[in-house]
Amino acid sequence: MGTIVDARGLSCPQPVLMTMDEIKRMSKGEIEILVDTDTSKENVSRAALSKGWTVKDVKEEGEGYRVTIVGS
Amino acid sequence: MKNFFASRWGIIGVGAFIGILAPLLQKWGNPGNMGICVACFERDITGAVGLHRAAVVQYMRPEIIGFVLGSLIAAYLFKEFRARAGSAPIVRFILGAFAMIGALVFLGCPWRALLRLAGGDGNAILGLAGLIVGIWIGTLFLKSGYNLGRAEKTHTSVGWLMPLTMIGFLILMLIFPQIQDQPQSGVLFYSLKGPGAMHAPLLISLVVGLGVGFAAQRSRFCTMGAFRDLILFRQPHLFYGLLTLVVVAFITNLIVGQFHPGFVKQPVAHTMQLWNFGGMVLAGLAFALAGGCPGRQLFLAGEGDGDSAVFVFGMIVGAGFAHNFGLASSPNGVGPHGIAATIIGLLVCLFIGFTMRKRA
């Protein structure tokens, strides 16, 4: 189980900011980010890739998505 | 389904699309370097429904209607329509009002700042510099925990209120079309001279608006976000779209003979550089605190975001204040109370930024 970042309901750029903070804090491992718009899903994935992390999985969940990113 | 528009080539394509169409809209009748200007066009709508009575800026701009409805269509087609609301609506309204006031001190939204630059208007450089400074201040707040709080999922009808308003505006325009040499048609006001009297044919404006709304919803095009992401994350994704818009609009202007370099006598522009700069600092800060440029707020409203819709209505009310109280600039320079309004707006934005931080 990785860390979970709940960014549902937050507007741009909060989901990315929260993801970046978590990436900085953990430096490696697995982070699950909960978002509720397609824009946030794309932005969070793009931000993770720019930090050298990989997007392991994007699952539809409830009204949004659960994005799992991995850093090694 | 993979969203091509969200890729690098997607955002570049959308920038090019807007970069061609905006100067062409000018060619087809819109005012100088104002093929598309979200702030100016919302201001004209404010005038069309009589919320201000500045005779030269009254027209129900079909581009704005198209932006919202194009975004709505894209959101439904790709199953992205999500009705949501409840994230500090009063703050978003006030930010919208002051964003409009700042934009009207400069005379243009970020889109028009880029189009003015692409048309050779040197004053736009000061406006863009102000915009970047405003956004930079906004990123400092974002870094220190500024946050407007969460929106919640809500009834579908809430998300429909802005699109329905725009459909209502379109119906009004069809019921009360412009009558030659008449300043009024039924409940709507029309300019006989000035920028409000200059417009492309209704159907063309509407179709272009729908196309831009559709493409911008898919690509998440945002002129404020372009600078913000670059400053905050060193991420150039949106910036590629913005850069393409300027370059393509510049080339299109050259081809159709609309490039006129210089600072003086530029269309719908003034040369009071401190306030070209200051107005856009205010607008940029307000956009950054609200999370999107005025175009982006329209596209978000089209995909069901009630808080963005509140921002848009804030801009419309702000345009009313701007023209009723002499805050808006004209080619002669800033309005009699434009400077005071800009300073008050900056203080209000700083108040919002400082007091709405989680880790304050």
Coordinates of all heavy atoms in Angstrom, one line a residue, chain B residues 87-140:
Chain B
S87 N -16.8 25.7 -4.1 CA -15.5 26.0 -3.7 C -15.4 27.6 -3.6 O -15.1 28.2 -4.6 CB -14.4 25.4 -4.6 OG -13.2 26.0 -4.4
A88 N -15.7 28.1 -2.5 CA -15.5 29.6 -2.2 C -16.1 30.4 -3.3 O -15.5 31.3 -3.9 CB -14.1 29.9 -2.0
P89 N -17.4 30.3 -3.6 CA -18.0 31.0 -4.7 C -17.9 32.5 -4.6 O -17.7 33.2 -5.6 CB -19.5 30.6 -4.8 CG -19.7 29.8 -3.5 CD -18.4 29.3 -3.0
I90 N -18.1 33.1 -3.4 CA -18.0 34.5 -3.2 C -16.6 35.1 -3.6 O -16.5 36.1 -4.2 CB -18.5 35.0 -1.8 CG1 -18.3 36.5 -1.6 CG2 -17.7 34.3 -0.7 CD1 -19.3 37.3 -2.4
V91 N -15.6 34.3 -3.2 CA -14.2 34.7 -3.5 C -14.0 34.7 -5.0 O -13.4 35.6 -5.6 CB -13.2 33.7 -2.8 CG1 -11.8 34.2 -3.2 CG2 -13.4 33.7 -1.3
R92 N -14.6 33.7 -5.7 CA -14.4 33.6 -7.1 C -15.1 34.7 -7.8 O -14.7 35.2 -8.8 CB -14.9 32.2 -7.6 CG -14.0 31.1 -7.1 CD -14.5 29.7 -7.5 NE -13.8 28.6 -6.9 CZ -12.7 28.1 -7.4 NH1 -12.2 28.5 -8.5 NH2 -12.1 27.1 -6.7
F93 N -16.3 35.1 -7.3 CA -17.0 36.2 -7.9 C -16.2 37.5 -7.8 O -16.1 38.2 -8.8 CB -18.4 36.4 -7.1 CG -19.3 37.4 -7.7 CD1 -20.2 37.1 -8.7 CD2 -19.3 38.7 -7.3 CE1 -21.0 38.0 -9.3 CE2 -20.1 39.7 -7.9 CZ -21.0 39.3 -8.8
I94 N -15.7 37.8 -6.6 CA -14.9 39.0 -6.4 C -13.7 39.0 -7.3 O -13.3 40.0 -7.9 CB -14.5 39.1 -4.9 CG1 -15.8 39.3 -4.0 CG2 -13.5 40.3 -4.7 CD1 -16.5 40.6 -4.1
L95 N -13.0 37.8 -7.3 CA -11.8 37.7 -8.2 C -12.2 38.0 -9.6 O -11.4 38.6 -10.4 CB -11.2 36.3 -8.0 CG -10.4 36.1 -6.7 CD1 -10.0 34.6 -6.6 CD2 -9.2 37.0 -6.5
G96 N -13.3 37.5 -10.1 CA -13.8 37.7 -11.4 C -14.0 39.2 -11.7 O -13.6 39.7 -12.7
A97 N -14.6 39.8 -10.8 CA -14.9 41.3 -10.9 C -13.6 42.1 -11.1 O -13.5 42.9 -12.0 CB -15.8 41.8 -9.8
F98 N -12.7 41.8 -10.2 CA -11.4 42.6 -10.2 C -10.5 42.1 -11.4 O -9.8 43.0 -11.9 CB -10.7 42.5 -8.9 CG -11.2 43.4 -7.9 CD1 -11.9 43.0 -6.8 CD2 -11.1 44.8 -8.1 CE1 -12.4 43.9 -5.8 CE2 -11.6 45.7 -7.2 CZ -12.3 45.3 -6.0
A99 N -10.6 40.9 -11.8 CA -9.9 40.4 -13.0 C -10.3 41.2 -14.2 O -9.5 41.7 -15.0 CB -10.1 38.9 -13.2
M100 N -11.7 41.4 -14.3 CA -12.2 42.2 -15.4 C -11.7 43.6 -15.3 O -11.3 44.2 -16.3 CB -13.7 42.1 -15.4 CG -14.4 43.0 -16.5 SD -13.9 42.5 -18.1 CE -15.3 41.4 -18.6
I101 N -11.8 44.2 -14.1 CA -11.4 45.6 -14.0 C -9.9 45.8 -14.4 O -9.6 46.7 -15.2 CB -11.6 46.1 -12.6 CG1 -13.2 46.2 -12.3 CG2 -11.0 47.5 -12.3 CD1 -13.6 46.4 -10.9
G102 N -9.1 44.9 -14.0 CA -7.6 44.9 -14.3 C -7.5 44.8 -15.9 O -6.7 45.5 -16.5
A103 N -8.2 43.9 -16.4 CA -8.1 43.6 -17.9 C -8.6 44.8 -18.7 O -8.0 45.2 -19.7 CB -8.9 42.4 -18.2
L104 N -9.6 45.5 -18.1 CA -10.1 46.7 -18.9 C -9.2 48.0 -18.6 O -9.3 48.9 -19.4 CB -11.6 47.0 -18.5 CG -12.5 45.9 -19.0 CD1 -14.0 46.2 -18.6 CD2 -12.5 45.7 -20.5
V105 N -8.4 47.9 -17.6 CA -7.4 49.0 -17.5 C -6.3 48.9 -18.6 O -5.9 49.8 -19.2 CB -6.8 49.1 -16.1 CG1 -5.6 50.0 -16.0 CG2 -7.9 49.5 -15.1
F106 N -6.0 47.6 -18.8 CA -5.0 47.3 -19.9 C -5.7 47.4 -21.3 O -5.1 47.8 -22.3 CB -4.4 45.9 -19.7 CG -3.7 45.3 -20.9 CD1 -2.6 45.9 -21.4 CD2 -4.2 44.2 -21.5 CE1 -1.9 45.4 -22.5 CE2 -3.6 43.6 -22.6 CZ -2.4 44.2 -23.1
L107 N -6.9 46.9 -21.3 CA -7.8 46.8 -22.5 C -7.5 45.4 -23.2 O -7.1 45.3 -24.4 CB -7.6 47.9 -23.5 CG -8.2 49.2 -23.1 CD1 -7.8 50.4 -24.0 CD2 -9.7 49.1 -23.0
G108 N -7.7 44.4 -22.4 CA -7.7 43.0 -23.0 C -7.4 41.9 -22.0 O -6.7 42.2 -21.0
C109 N -7.8 40.8 -22.3 CA -7.5 39.6 -21.5 C -6.2 39.0 -22.0 O -5.6 39.5 -22.9 CB -8.7 38.5 -21.7 SG -8.7 37.8 -23.3
P110 N -5.7 38.0 -21.3 CA -4.4 37.4 -21.8 C -4.4 37.0 -23.3 O -3.4 37.1 -24.0 CB -4.2 36.2 -20.9 CG -5.0 36.5 -19.6 CD -6.1 37.3 -20.1
W111 N -5.6 36.5 -23.7 CA -5.6 36.1 -25.1 C -5.4 37.3 -26.0 O -4.7 37.3 -27.0 CB -7.0 35.5 -25.5 CG -7.4 34.2 -24.9 CD1 -7.2 33.8 -23.6 CD2 -8.0 33.1 -25.5 NE1 -7.7 32.5 -23.4 CE2 -8.2 32.1 -24.6 CE3 -8.5 32.9 -26.8 CZ2 -8.8 30.9 -24.9 CZ3 -9.1 31.7 -27.1 CH2 -9.2 30.7 -26.2
R112 N -6.1 38.4 -25.7 CA -5.9 39.6 -26.5 C -4.5 40.2 -26.3 O -4.0 40.8 -27.3 CB -7.0 40.7 -26.2 CG -6.8 41.8 -27.1 CD -7.9 42.9 -27.1 NE -7.7 43.8 -28.3 CZ -7.4 45.1 -28.1 NH1 -7.4 45.7 -27.0 NH2 -7.2 45.8 -29.2
A113 N -3.9 40.1 -25.2 CA -2.5 40.5 -25.0 C -1.6 39.8 -26.0 O -0.8 40.5 -26.7 CB -2.0 40.3 -23.6
L114 N -1.8 38.5 -26.2 CA -1.0 37.8 -27.2 C -1.4 38.2 -28.6 O -0.5 38.4 -29.4 CB -1.3 36.3 -27.0 CG -1.0 35.7 -25.6 CD1 -1.5 34.2 -25.6 CD2 0.5 35.7 -25.3
L115 N -2.7 38.4 -28.9 CA -3.1 38.8 -30.2 C -2.6 40.2 -30.5 O -2.3 40.5 -31.7 CB -4.6 38.7 -30.3 CG -5.1 37.2 -30.3 CD1 -6.6 37.2 -30.2 CD2 -4.7 36.4 -31.5
R116 N -2.6 41.1 -29.5 CA -2.1 42.4 -29.7 C -0.6 42.4 -30.1 O -0.2 43.1 -31.0 CB -2.3 43.3 -28.5 CG -3.7 43.8 -28.3 CD -4.0 44.5 -27.0 NE -3.2 45.7 -26.8 CZ -3.3 46.6 -25.8 NH1 -4.3 46.4 -24.9 NH2 -2.5 47.6 -25.7
L117 N 0.1 41.5 -29.4 CA 1.5 41.4 -29.7 C 1.7 40.8 -31.1 O 2.6 41.3 -31.9 CB 2.2 40.4 -28.7 CG 3.7 40.2 -28.8 CD1 4.4 41.5 -28.3 CD2 4.1 39.0 -27.9
A118 N 0.9 39.9 -31.5 CA 1.0 39.2 -32.8 C 0.6 40.2 -33.9 O 0.9 40.0 -35.1 CB 0.2 38.0 -32.9
G119 N -0.1 41.3 -33.5 CA -0.5 42.3 -34.5 C 0.4 43.5 -34.5 O 0.2 44.4 -35.3
G120 N 1.5 43.4 -33.7 CA 2.5 44.4 -33.7 C 2.4 45.5 -32.7 O 3.1 46.5 -32.6
D121 N 1.4 45.4 -31.8 CA 1.1 46.4 -30.7 C 2.2 46.2 -29.6 O 2.1 45.3 -28.8 CB -0.3 46.2 -30.2 CG -0.6 47.3 -29.1 OD1 0.3 48.0 -28.6 OD2 -1.8 47.3 -28.7
G122 N 3.1 47.2 -29.6 CA 4.2 47.1 -28.6 C 3.7 47.3 -27.1 O 4.3 46.8 -26.2
N123 N 2.6 47.9 -27.0 CA 2.0 48.1 -25.6 C 1.7 46.8 -24.9 O 1.7 46.7 -23.7 CB 0.8 49.0 -25.6 CG 1.1 50.3 -26.3 OD1 1.9 51.1 -25.9 ND2 0.4 50.5 -27.5
A124 N 1.5 45.8 -25.8 CA 1.1 44.5 -25.2 C 2.3 43.9 -24.4 O 2.1 43.1 -23.5 CB 0.7 43.5 -26.4
I125 N 3.5 44.3 -24.8 CA 4.7 43.8 -24.0 C 4.6 44.1 -22.6 O 4.8 43.3 -21.7 CB 6.0 44.3 -24.6 CG1 6.1 43.9 -26.1 CG2 7.2 43.9 -23.8 CD1 7.2 44.7 -26.9
L126 N 4.2 45.4 -22.3 CA 4.0 45.8 -20.9 C 2.8 45.0 -20.2 O 2.9 44.6 -19.1 CB 3.7 47.3 -20.8 CG 4.9 48.2 -20.9 CD1 5.8 48.0 -19.6 CD2 5.8 48.1 -22.1
G127 N 1.8 44.8 -21.0 CA 0.6 44.1 -20.5 C 1.0 42.7 -20.1 O 0.7 42.1 -19.0
L128 N 1.8 42.0 -21.0 CA 2.2 40.6 -20.8 C 3.2 40.6 -19.6 O 3.1 39.6 -18.8 CB 2.8 40.1 -22.1 CG 1.8 39.6 -23.1 CD1 2.5 39.3 -24.4 CD2 1.1 38.4 -22.7
A129 N 4.1 41.6 -19.5 CA 5.0 41.6 -18.4 C 4.2 41.7 -17.1 O 4.5 41.0 -16.1 CB 6.0 42.8 -18.5
G130 N 3.2 42.5 -17.1 CA 2.3 42.7 -15.9 C 1.6 41.3 -15.6 O 1.5 40.9 -14.4
L131 N 1.1 40.7 -16.6 CA 0.4 39.4 -16.4 C 1.3 38.4 -15.8 O 0.9 37.7 -14.8 CB 0.0 38.9 -17.8 CG -0.8 37.6 -17.8 CD1 -2.2 37.7 -17.2 CD2 -0.8 37.0 -19.2
I132 N 2.6 38.3 -16.2 CA 3.5 37.4 -15.7 C 3.8 37.7 -14.2 O 3.9 36.8 -13.4 CB 4.8 37.3 -16.6 CG1 4.5 36.8 -17.9 CG2 5.9 36.5 -15.9 CD1 5.6 37.0 -19.0
V133 N 4.0 39.0 -13.9 CA 4.3 39.4 -12.5 C 3.1 39.0 -11.6 O 3.3 38.5 -10.5 CB 4.6 40.9 -12.4 CG1 4.6 41.3 -11.0 CG2 5.9 41.2 -13.1
G134 N 1.9 39.3 -12.1 CA 0.7 39.0 -11.4 C 0.6 37.5 -11.1 O 0.3 37.0 -10.0
I135 N 0.8 36.7 -12.1 CA 0.8 35.2 -12.0 C 1.9 34.7 -11.0 O 1.7 33.9 -10.2 CB 0.9 34.5 -13.3 CG1 -0.3 34.9 -14.2 CG2 1.0 33.0 -13.2 CD1 -0.1 34.5 -15.7
W136 N 3.1 35.4 -11.1 CA 4.2 35.0 -10.2 C 3.8 35.3 -8.8 O 4.1 34.4 -7.9 CB 5.4 35.8 -10.6 CG 6.6 35.6 -9.7 CD1 7.4 34.5 -9.5 CD2 7.1 36.6 -8.7 NE1 8.3 34.7 -8.5 CE2 8.1 36.0 -8.0 CE3 6.7 37.9 -8.4 CZ2 8.8 36.7 -7.0 CZ3 7.4 38.6 -7.4 CH2 8.4 38.0 -6.7
I137 N 3.2 36.4 -8.5 CA 2.7 36.7 -7.1 C 1.7 35.6 -6.7 O 1.8 35.0 -5.6 CB 2.1 38.1 -7.0 CG1 3.1 39.1 -7.3 CG2 1.6 38.3 -5.6 CD1 2.5 40.5 -7.5
G138 N 0.9 35.2 -7.6 CA -0.1 34.2 -7.3 C 0.6 32.8 -7.0 O 0.1 32.1 -6.1
T139 N 1.7 32.5 -7.7 CA 2.4 31.2 -7.4 C 3.0 31.3 -6.0 O 3.1 30.2 -5.4 CB 3.5 30.9 -8.5 OG1 4.4 31.9 -8.4 CG2 2.9 30.8 -9.9
L140 N 3.4 32.4 -5.6 CA 4.0 32.5 -4.2 C 2.9 32.1 -3.2 O 3.2 31.4 -2.2 CB 4.5 33.9 -3.9 CG 5.6 34.4 -4.8 CD1 6.1 35.8 -4.4 CD2 6.8 33.5 -4.7

